Amino acid sequence: MDDNSIKNWEASLKGKLHGAHSTVIGERQGKKILGIISQHEEVKSIIPSVITVKGKSSPGGNLTAKVLRPDERGNLRMLLSHGTSSQEIRIVTTVATHDEGERVMEELNALLFDI
């Protein structure tokens, strides 16, 4: 990834990251995933939620991300998992229906698959 594309996703994320806190699991890789998601034209804002830790294992492992089902207004949830930690990310979209949300969900999961 070149310096220009890093600046693009960092700038895009800065304008769309909202909520009570901006902590994201996975450190730089987690922020990179949110930055890539934020560049989608139909993503309005990204809101990190509570981080949950299960078990007493050593931290680390692979970072995985998956965009989950849309609600009736087309807004999405994404689940980030890193070792024993997981975090739900709310994705507010500009679409208005569940069906359009399904389309955006598929597009975002395709973006995540290419990372």
Side-chain angles (χ1 to χ4, degrees), residues 37 76 87:
I37 294 292
L76 305 166
Q87 183 175 24

Side-chain angles (χ1 to χ4, degrees), residues 13 16-24 34 37-38 43-50 75-78 80 87-93:
L13 180 59
K16 293 185 179 184
L17 190 63
H18 301 287
H21 66 86
S22 61
T23 303
V24 177
L34 294 188
I37 294 292
S38 72
V43 170
K44 185 175 179 181
S45 64
I46 298 172
I47 305 164
S49 189
V50 176
N75 296 318
L76 305 166
R77 293 182 325 125
M78 181 170 71
L80 282 178
Q87 183 175 24
E88 187 175 299
I89 308 290
R90 308 226 185 242
I91 302 171
V92 180
T93 66

Side-chain angles (χ1 to χ4, degrees), residues 21-72:
H21 66 86
S22 61
T23 303
V24 177
I25 64 172
E27 299 174 5
R28 184 145 177 89
Q29 186 68 20
K31 290 268 187 173
K32 177 183 173 186
I33 288 170
L34 294 188
I36 291 168
I37 294 292
S38 72
Q39 291 181 328
H40 191 281
E41 61 190 20
E42 292 173 307
V43 170
K44 185 175 179 181
S45 64
I46 298 172
I47 305 164
S49 189
V50 176
I51 297 170
T52 305
V53 179
K54 294 186 180 183
K56 290 187 175 182
S57 179
S58 60
N62 292 333
L63 178 68
T64 60
K66 183 172 183 177
V67 180
L68 306 173
R69 67 185 184 275
D71 64 12
E72 64 279 353

